[in-house]
Amino acid sequence: MTKQNQKKTRQEWLDQAIILLMAEFKTEGLKLPKYRATVGLPSKGAFAAKKRTIGQCFYPESSSDKTTEIMISPTRDKPLEILETTAHEMCHGTLGAGFGHGPKFKALATSIGLVGKMTVTEPGPEFLKRTKPILKTLGAFPHKKLDITIGQKK
């Protein structure tokens, strides 16, 4: 990885990731909303011992400037994990409210190479192939994961 590939902040990394991932969605012929992503605690399930929420999509109706907002949990820090979670949440944002993880979500997610149970998708071989250049461009994710199980008062 060269220094020019290393983003200075996690926000710059996420902004660039969205731009690069949008090209993957455009190959599916979809009209994409305006996206904004950040690292922060999801509104629910952030500290769950089981079924922890690692990403969340807020639809444009929730944003004062009508932007689709994506929240990535600070408990993750591996570039592939962040990219896959961002892509998963972009599937929600692209479809809009009301589709959940149903058939339309599954069709879109699998079309970009996500596999597994749709509530907890994983990067399949096609996703890995399609996003290898993206990961190379982005480089390391400039963030160290938060371990919420250490040092917490009971």
Side-chain angles (χ1 to χ4, degrees), residues 4-76:
Q4 72 185 41
N5 289 344
Q6 179 64 47
K7 301 301 171 212
K8 290 185 176 112
T9 67
R10 61 189 184 191
Q11 189 61 57
E12 290 172 329
W13 195 100
L14 287 167
D15 292 345
Q16 187 67 27
I18 286 176
I19 290 166
L20 296 170
L21 281 171
M22 286 177 94
E24 297 302 314
F25 285 84
K26 287 180 181 175
T27 62
E28 302 303 321
L30 298 166
K31 184 176 186 315
L32 302 173
K34 178 182 171 187
Y35 289 104
R36 183 169 37 236
T38 193
V39 172
L41 295 173
S43 66
K44 60 182 179 179
F47 299 109
K50 296 179 182 178
K51 297 185 180 183
R52 179 173 295 152
T53 302
I54 57 171
Q56 191 169 25
C57 177
F58 294 90
Y59 299 105
E61 298 81 10
S62 300
S63 174
S64 64
D65 69 352
K66 304 301 180 206
T67 299
T68 299
E69 305 273 358
I70 295 173
M71 190 79 62
I72 305 294
S73 172
T75 61
R76 299 171 70 78

Side-chain angles (χ1 to χ4, degrees), residues 49-125:
K50 296 179 182 178
K51 297 185 180 183
R52 179 173 295 152
T53 302
I54 57 171
Q56 191 169 25
C57 177
F58 294 90
Y59 299 105
E61 298 81 10
S62 300
S63 174
S64 64
D65 69 352
K66 304 301 180 206
T67 299
T68 299
E69 305 273 358
I70 295 173
M71 190 79 62
I72 305 294
S73 172
T75 61
R76 299 171 70 78
D77 64 357
K78 292 181 177 63
L80 179 58
E81 291 176 340
I82 303 298
L83 198 63
E84 185 279 327
T85 302
T86 303
H88 176 108
E89 299 308 329
M90 287 175 72
C91 288
H92 285 298
T94 298
L95 292 172
F99 292 94
H101 296 100
K104 287 190 178 189
F105 178 88
K106 182 175 183 174
L108 178 54
T110 56
S111 76
I112 63 165
L114 299 178
V115 299
K117 187 176 177 188
M118 288 298 110
T119 54
V120 288
T121 55
E122 298 174 9

